[in-house]
Amino acid sequence: MPYEAAQSPVAPSSASRLWTAGASAGVSVVVLLVLAVFHPQIAGPLIGGALLVTVFTWAVNRRPRRASVLGEVPEDVAPQTQATAADQRLLENAFEALADPVLVVSGGEADDIAGRRVVLANAAARELFRIQREGALLVSAVREPSVLEAVDEALFGGIARTTDYAGVGAQTRHWRALTRPLAAPANDGTLALLVLRDETDVRRMELMRVDFLANASHELKTPLASLAGFIETLKGHAKDDPKARDRFLDIMAVQADRMSRLVADLLSLSRIELNEHVPPSGRVDLARAAVDVMDAVSILSAERSVSVLMQDRDLSAPVNGDRDEIVQVVQNLVDNAIKYSPSGDTVDIVIRPDVSLDEAAAPWSGGNREGGITRLPLVTPDREPGKRYAAITVRDHGPGMAREHLPRLTERFYRVEGQKSGERQGTGLGLAIVKHIVNRHRGGLTVESAPGQGAVFTAYFPVAEKRAAAQTPAA
């Protein structure tokens, strides 16, 4: 941050100090000459002393000065000036260390919006907007009209404002922009201060609370009413009927189990949504996660007489991600495929360890639309040049779905009419959880299906960077 050097009255220039020393020596010489003429008996000692004083004064004024950002200052003359320079360096370090993006903006002409330039940007602002420390156009960094309007009001109207807005992109972030007029040095035009505060976590927590209460109250109403009815029946005329009591208790156990899974899924979904804007930093082998899921669902697949097959179980497909969440994605996709597969059929899992974005999102059927197969992207990541992905595809041979159902598959509690998922009814949150996990991982999700043609789900995640090879010590 540029600051003007403070001038201290106790730190005169080198020329003025030398001139002062010379003038003092001249006056001393004149006085000594007068004394030598009128009082020769005392002139000798005074001349010696005057010479010593003159030499001392000259040496003091000629001694080296310590250079500083505030100019040449004697080490023992300007302690206040030295303290000011240290304070300025401290302020600059504090400005750079601020977690909130901070911009100082110059106004230019009032009717020239392209003339707004960033005079100064701290490290957080430079990282967010990908701009230099100074000199960037404001409109190239901030494109929100309400924020640009607030900056203009601060520049030319002296008005301070607070503006809330949502950033665009696959992961929406909520910002609060504080704009304030800023006093500018003379002849520097008008300045404004723009501070951005990320309130994404606050907004997500509030939405999570509201959504959880709304969804829980709506979805728990039916099983709770069922439980209350059966309890009332058991307390009444079915109290002494062992056969009816056992049947009702079995139904109540199923409803209680469904409520337990519903609450668990709601909590899981809320937790994922809360951290959706924060990309995971771990490393997971997608193929190994798929193998672990196959082992975990072996009992369920055996009960349904459905085989789960995976090509090349020894494949390696490292991706950036959270292991528990990656496993949950694979688990939910495989569970759905097993539930909707006919008895004696198969569920196919295919891993592709290194593909481009276009290859990962390409139709599994190769673009063949025979049988009315429809492909739809449910989550699409931001396109980054050279980005590679690892994809997992789960295919079943069940009843399939009509085209109009595909866009709503990831909605909470949405169920396709006319499809049965067995005695263990789902919560309707599985694909919603998959969508938010994939979105958090900056990946993608597609579906292909048609009535009678089964369903194909493909989830893909960014490939993890290769680890540096371990260096072997020299012999």
Side-chain angles (χ1 to χ4, degrees), residues 233-234 236-249:
T233 302
L234 288 174
H237 61 272
K239 179 172 56 176
D240 299 324
D241 186 347
K243 185 176 181 181
R245 183 174 64 245
D246 292 342
R247 182 165 62 89
F248 291 161
L249 288 175

Side-chain angles (χ1 to χ4, degrees), residues 451-464:
Q453 302 292 321
V456 179
F457 286 89
T458 299
Y460 50 96
F461 307 90
V463 170

Side-chain angles (χ1 to χ4, degrees), residues 351-414:
I351 302 290
R352 290 175 290 164
D354 188 9
V355 294
S356 66
L357 176 59
D358 293 333
E359 291 171 335
W364 180 257
S365 57
N368 183 9
R369 293 184 175 274
E370 293 184 6
I373 295 178
T374 301
R375 171 190 167 275
L376 183 70
L378 301 176
V379 179
T380 303
D382 295 333
R383 184 176 290 273
E384 299 181 32
K387 195 76 171 180
R388 307 293 291 180
Y389 297 87
I392 177 170
T393 299
V394 180
R395 181 183 184 184
D396 66 65
H397 302 274
M401 296 165 285
R403 179 173 184 170
E404 62 268 19
H405 295 298
L406 302 186
R408 302 190 61 187
L409 289 178
T410 55
E411 292 182 12
R412 297 183 181 191
F413 309 114
Y414 181 78

Side-chain angles (χ1 to χ4, degrees), residues 10-15 17-18 21 54-67 71-79 82:
V10 298
S13 64
S14 299
R17 285 186 276 103
L18 293 176
T54 301
V55 172
F56 177 78
T57 303
W58 183 267
V60 168
N61 285 279
R62 286 288 296 171
R63 78 181 189 271
R65 257 53 181 178
R66 181 175 54 86
E72 291 186 352
V73 181
E75 295 186 1
D76 56 347
V77 171
Q82 298 172 22

Side-chain angles (χ1 to χ4, degrees), residues 17-32:
R17 285 186 276 103
L18 293 176
W19 186 90
T20 301
S24 300
V27 171
S28 300
V29 170
V30 172
V31 171
L32 289 175

